[in-house]
Amino acid sequence: MAREYAHLLDQVVILNAPHERAMPTHLIKHLTQLVRSSYGVFFQLRGLPEKLISLSNWKVGITMLESSSLTHAFSEEDLKLYRQAWSKPNAMKAMINWYRANMKSMTRPDLPAKVALPTLLIWGAQDQFLGKELAGKSSQFIEEGRLVFLENGTHWVHLEEADKVNALIAKFI
């Protein structure tokens, strides 16, 4: 959005999401990140991820959330709501399709490489999917930006460190 439709935005806040151009070269040079991101390759298989994640009342999805977050990130009520949302027709397919589309857009040469807008990149340093090094690599594609690591946060930093994330965003905007 920030590269293709920059004219629609004033500034950008990103939470634990790498720049598309940073990812391919980083994967090649860092085997650890390749392993961490292997779920993205699995998600390219049509139909299989949706089916496996849905088994046993969404146990795989719930286990993924719980094992990749701090213990207080998801309440039992949250997990119940996730199960309800995932159970809606084609909901899981739509979520996984984001990863499928994202893989295709990683190397689009028609987009500017750099984000020209003021950007705040907030990164949970304990993210088991996206390493800190990838945050640094991603920040190189931002012309005017700031990278902030929240040392105790994971991939779900917006839930685990909500007060800090909100304060950073409020100060930025």
Side-chain angles (χ1 to χ4, degrees), residues 15-17 32-33 36 39 64-74 122-135 147-158 160-161 164-165:
L15 303 175
N16 280 68
T32 304
Q33 185 58 60
R36 288 176 162 197
Y39 67 93
M64 185 278 306
L65 291 177
E66 291 179 323
S67 67
S68 64
S69 64
L70 300 179
T71 54
H72 67 277
F74 298 98
I122 301 171
W123 206 276
Q126 304 305 314
D127 189 327
Q128 75 179 39
F129 304 113
L130 304 167
K132 286 176 73 172
E133 305 82 14
L134 187 54
L147 169 59
V148 178
F149 287 108
L150 295 182
E151 291 303 322
N152 296 321
T154 72
H155 194 68
W156 316 104
V157 68
H158 59 292
E160 299 156 340
E161 302 273 1
K164 290 179 184 176
V165 168

Side-chain angles (χ1 to χ4, degrees), residues 88-149:
K88 292 183 179 182
N90 294 314
M92 183 57 65
K93 179 180 180 181
M95 288 185 278
I96 293 174
N97 277 347
W98 181 87
Y99 290 91
R100 292 174 179 141
N102 197 34
M103 285 287 242
K104 293 175 186 172
S105 70
M106 279 188 188
T107 56
R108 281 188 53 195
D110 59 318
L111 294 179
K114 292 208 172 206
V115 175
L117 298 166
T119 302
L120 173 62
L121 178 55
I122 301 171
W123 206 276
Q126 304 305 314
D127 189 327
Q128 75 179 39
F129 304 113
L130 304 167
K132 286 176 73 172
E133 305 82 14
L134 187 54
K137 182 72 173 172
S138 294
S139 69
Q140 295 173 7
F141 289 93
I142 299 169
E143 289 181 13
E144 180 187 339
R146 180 171 169 226
L147 169 59
V148 178
F149 287 108

Side-chain angles (χ1 to χ4, degrees), residues 2 5 30 48 60 80 103 147:
Y5 301 104
H30 296 87
L48 184 60
V60 173
K80 177 183 170 188
M103 285 287 242
L147 169 59

